[in-house]
Structure formats: structure tokens, C-alpha cells
Amino acid sequence: MHGLDPRLLATLEAVVRHGSFSAAARELGYSPPAVSQQIAELERRAGLRVLERRPVRATPAGEVLLGAEQGVRSALAAASAELGAMRAGTAGRIRLGAFASAATGIVPQALARLHAAYPHVQVSLSQLEPEAGYNRLKRGDMDLALSYDYDLALSYDYDFIPVPPPRMLRRTLVARDPVVAVVPARHRLADREVIDLASLASETWIAAPEAALRLELLSQMADTPGFQARLQYEGDDFNTVLGFVAAGLCVAVMPRLALPRTHTQVVARPLAEPQLTRFIYAVRIDTRHTPRAVLDLEEMLTAQALAALS
């Protein structure tokens, strides 16, 4: 293949990510015919089709080129971050990503400390789940992200096997966030110090896979049937789930960071064995030089996470 052009690769990545020529054109500032011409030129240079048109998706040759595009973008992002750090030592702008409960329970206090130390640094925050945060970091669209995974001695559930971060990213453990049972304040088990998950099997549960643990996993953890949902919630707002629990409509299991300290109508109790822990990480591009403000924000996020979970 001759004349591998990073601009053509970027167009291919945008088309595949959006699944649409027109959406890619809007993002890139081109006309749809111009995007089509660039893909045609890329295919001419490759000598192979790089896209299936209906539906829009990468061919095997396209996947090879997407890998090359990701490598180029990651390398440029790392170089840009290092050059910025070498020029100034501090960052004028930080793009931060965080999952929902961290955005609520960790980020505000840490940003208040950052503003006091770096009053001229601007911060933008995006609420993102781990995979989306990794992708934004690799593309150079983000400077720092809070991520997580779970540790559970249950090999049957792939989602809870900790996985290493993608190549070129540095991941630092910030805090351990225990998963707890959440019941109404007047619940029959509210006065226990520890709750055996099996004792909740027959309770009314809420199915909220984006804000609480999946019920099929709880059944496997407890090694008992039950865990039937009467309520269904499609969303990632923990406060909505807590509202249902506080009203006595259900029980739930969720990370402790998701629970506000001032909530008086629900009770959170540690789980008996098997216990489940969510590990919270700070993730950034792995470079030799990082802006001082980014490093300090990472430390501030760590301190706030430890304080929130103490």
C-alpha cells in the first residue's frame, strides 16, 4: 500500500464510529460526497474494500487500517501531552472524564482544591463509563479519567474479571469501593451489621443494570434462586434507585460511593461472603512528562476518594 494518509484514516474511523457517512461528515466538517470520495481514495490505495456499506462497518482490511489510525492518534496525543508539559509545567486546560458516582461523590471537591491551587486552569468534565473513557484517552480527546472494575472470586462472570488498561495508558489505583446491600430504614434486616445476600433472595428487587448490580449475578453470588424484579429502571442515576428503596418498594445492591452520607431513609450494610469490591482508578496517557496540574488533580481525586469512602 502506498501513501498511507492519516487524514484518510481519520475519516474511516469517524465513519465506522458513527456508522454513517453523513454523521462523520458533520463531525469532520466535510460534505457527505467528500467523505465518500476520501473512503474511495483509501480503498484505491489499499487495493481492498475497507467498508461494508449496508450496514456501515469495517471490513477485515478496514480493521487493519483502524488499528493503524488508533496507533497514530495515540502516539500524537502522547507527544502533544509531553510537549505541553515540557513547555509550561502546568496545563491551561484539563479534560476530565468520570463515571456517574465518581462525578458526584469525588470530582466536585477535588476540582475545588484544583481551582484554589491553579485558578487559571480550565476543566471540562464528561460523564463516561470506563470503556468510553479509555477510547477518549486513546484518541487524545481527554487528559485524565476515573475508571473502575470489579474484583470477585467468581470466574463464571466475565464482566467481573479485572482487565488491564489498554496499551499506552497508565492506570493508578485510587480507592477500593465496597459493594453493599441497600434496604429501607425499617427493613427487617436493617439492624444487622452484615447482610447475607441469600437472606434477600425473596425480596422485591429493582432491575437497574446501569445503576445497580445485575440480578442474575446476585443469584450466582448467593448460590440460591430468587432475585426477581418487580421494578425496571433504564438509567444510571443512583438517586432514582435509592428513592425506590427509601419508599419501601425494593432492595438493591450497589457500590458504597453511590450512597449519599445524608440519606436517612435507607440503610447500607456490608455483604457477607462472597464480598465484592469495585476498584477505582485514575487513568491517563502513559508519557514521560505530564502537566503538573494533571498530576496534582490525580492526587486530589485520590485523596477525595479515600475521604469519601472512609
Side-chain angles (χ1 to χ4, degrees), residues 15-297:
V15 171
V16 172
R17 175 159 46 85
H18 287 289
S20 164
F21 280 68
S22 59
R26 285 194 297 272
E27 177 181 294
L28 298 171
Y30 301 143
S31 67
V35 170
S36 296
Q37 291 169 9
Q38 290 190 32
I39 295 299
E41 175 63 16
L42 186 59
E43 291 183 326
R44 186 190 69 78
R45 297 189 187 190
L48 294 164
R49 288 179 64 84
V50 300
L51 281 178
E52 300 288 351
R53 266 56 174 187
R54 296 183 180 177
V56 175
R57 61 186 178 185
T59 65
E63 292 289 352
V64 172
L65 294 178
L66 287 174
E69 192 278 340
Q70 183 64 76
V72 170
R73 190 185 292 264
S74 295
L76 290 175
S80 177
E82 288 207 53
L83 290 173
M86 294 171 69
R87 281 195 305 268
T90 63
R93 178 179 175 226
I94 298 177
R95 298 161 297 175
L96 174 65
F99 54 94
S101 54
T104 301
I106 298 175
V107 171
Q109 296 82 356
L111 291 188
R113 293 182 58 190
L114 181 77
H115 180 69
Y118 298 91
H120 300 296
V121 169
Q122 297 180 345
V123 179
S124 61
L125 173 65
S126 300
Q127 182 180 313
L128 297 168
E129 288 302 301
E131 184 176 357
Y134 288 152
N135 290 336
R136 294 275 292 272
L137 286 165
K138 289 187 295 183
R139 293 201 305 265
D141 297 337
M142 185 164 289
D143 303 300
L144 183 65
L146 287 174
S147 179
Y148 67 84
D149 64 21
Y150 286 88
D151 180 33
L152 178 64
L154 296 174
S155 60
Y156 50 70
D157 195 287
Y158 178 79
D159 289 346
F160 288 88
I161 299 175
V163 296
R167 188 171 59 90
M168 297 188 70
L169 298 183
R170 179 193 296 268
R171 189 172 72 176
T172 304
L173 180 63
V174 167
R176 293 172 173 84
D177 185 11
V179 173
V180 295
V182 186
V183 300
R186 295 174 180 258
H187 192 273
R188 59 186 174 84
L189 301 178
D191 59 349
R192 295 193 181 182
E193 293 185 3
V194 176
I195 292 181
D196 183 355
L197 194 55
S199 66
L200 293 173
S202 61
E203 297 284 335
T204 298
W205 288 83
I206 181 170
E210 296 181 34
L213 269 65
R214 300 193 314 274
L215 300 186
E216 58 268 28
L217 173 64
L218 300 182
S219 180
Q220 294 176 31
M221 287 175 60
D223 194 24
T224 184
F227 301 93
Q228 299 299 313
R230 183 180 301 171
L231 299 169
Q232 305 281 338
Y233 171 55
E234 295 183 11
D236 61 3
D237 183 10
F238 290 104
N239 286 325
T240 300
V241 175
L242 291 173
F244 283 117
V245 176
L249 296 172
C250 61
V251 297
V253 169
M254 61 180 63
R256 185 153 63 91
L257 183 62
L259 278 72
R261 292 177 179 267
T262 57
H263 210 305
T264 59
Q265 296 176 293
V266 302
V267 170
R269 294 289 182 259
L271 294 175
E273 297 294 339
Q275 295 179 339
L276 179 60
T277 300
R278 183 171 71 168
F279 289 83
I280 301 174
Y281 302 96
V283 190
R284 54 183 168 83
I285 297 176
D286 190 5
T287 59
R288 289 168 297 177
H289 300 89
T290 301
R292 182 72 253 168
V294 173
L295 293 176
D296 285 352
L297 177 57

